[in-house]
Amino acid sequence: MNALHRFLMASAWLLPLTALGSVEQAAIGSSVERHLPGDEQYVQWTRDAERLATLHGDELATREVVVAAPETVKLSNVVPPIHFESGVAEIPDSTVEDLRAALERVRDKPNVRLHLVGHADDQPLSNRLAERYGDNEGLSRERAGEVAEFLQQALGLPSDAIAYEWVGAGQPIASNTNPSGRALNRRVEVEVWYDELKDTTTTEEVVV
């Protein structure tokens, strides 16, 4: 009886191994990956069938996150406006030195650059100037560009550290009815810009 019992126990342990087939020793470095056949249907096993029936896959949800966003700080009146007399820009040496000092004070800030805005008076251009610049807006653009090029070379700035725009006669600071007022309006304003990172809240989509 003991011998029969031991035989039956050994047969029960060997039966699953026989069903799996023989096991071969793979050579070192050879691929031993096996894939399930693709033409067979498999049963989904779960402990909670009702919960499985309610799951339809991934869904998108939104959540609030805090990110650091750049905010441009604009320093105006760093130097007096640059004026033009007889079509020539008046850029004193003190303006260049004051700008150099201002840039040095914010050298630790990200994305420091100069920003120039060209202005003009409202007087019609002479035929010679009209042929070259078109109108007062074109004249203010040319003046801003000239000053930007001069300051870039004088301060040794890379091209992406200086930019300019122009508004023509649209933003006067004095009356255009007299020569002194028009002289004040023919100007290029210089500002120092840099970015400051500030925390802001935004939303993002996440997969749940």
Side-chain angles (χ1 to χ4, degrees):
M1 196 68 170
N2 290 336
L4 179 60
H5 179 73
R6 287 196 298 270
F7 174 78
L8 293 175
M9 290 293 293
S11 300
W13 282 102
L14 291 175
L15 183 59
L17 296 178
T18 304
L20 291 174
S22 61
V23 178
E24 299 179 0
Q25 183 71 29
I28 297 177
S30 63
S31 174
V32 293
E33 183 179 359
R34 297 292 185 268
H35 296 276
L36 293 174
D39 57 350
E40 294 186 11
Q41 297 293 327
Y42 296 96
V43 178
Q44 178 76 50
W45 291 90
T46 178
R47 293 184 177 182
D48 189 346
E50 294 182 359
R51 176 177 173 82
L52 181 64
T54 63
L55 299 180
H56 301 290
D58 296 336
E59 296 180 358
L60 288 178
T62 59
R63 66 178 181 183
E64 289 190 348
V65 294
V66 178
V67 297
E71 182 176 301
T72 301
V73 178
K74 303 178 182 180
L75 303 179
S76 57
N77 301 319
V78 176
V79 295
I82 297 170
H83 295 283
F84 290 77
E85 291 297 337
S86 301
V88 179
E90 296 179 348
I91 307 178
D93 294 337
S94 60
T95 295
V96 177
E97 294 307 316
D98 289 344
L99 277 177
R100 195 188 308 277
L103 292 174
E104 182 66 23
R105 288 193 295 269
V106 295
R107 63 178 303 180
D108 60 327
K109 303 293 185 181
N111 197 20
V112 177
R113 67 268 194 201
L114 290 183
H115 187 84
L116 283 62
V117 183
H119 301 264
D121 60 32
D122 66 349
Q123 298 300 294
L125 301 184
S126 65
N127 291 334
R128 179 179 62 84
L129 292 178
E131 290 179 359
R132 184 173 181 179
Y133 305 118
D135 54 17
N136 282 317
E137 187 171 342
L139 180 59
S140 67
R141 178 185 65 238
E142 180 68 17
R143 287 173 172 171
E146 289 177 359
V147 175
E149 183 177 355
F150 174 84
L151 292 178
Q152 179 187 356
Q153 295 178 359
L155 297 170
L157 299 175
S159 58
D160 60 350
I162 187 166
Y164 63 92
E165 61 178 306
W166 55 93
V167 295
Q171 297 178 10
I173 58 174
S175 174
N176 281 308
T177 60
N178 56 76
S180 60
R182 291 193 294 270
L184 292 175
N185 292 331
R186 296 191 299 269
R187 71 198 189 278
V188 172
E189 296 174 343
V190 184
E191 298 178 340
V192 176
W193 290 11
Y194 63 87
D195 290 342
E196 200 165 71
L197 298 179
K198 293 189 176 182
D199 289 342
T200 182
T201 302
T202 184
T203 58
E204 68 174 8
E205 288 187 336
V206 293
V207 178
V208 296

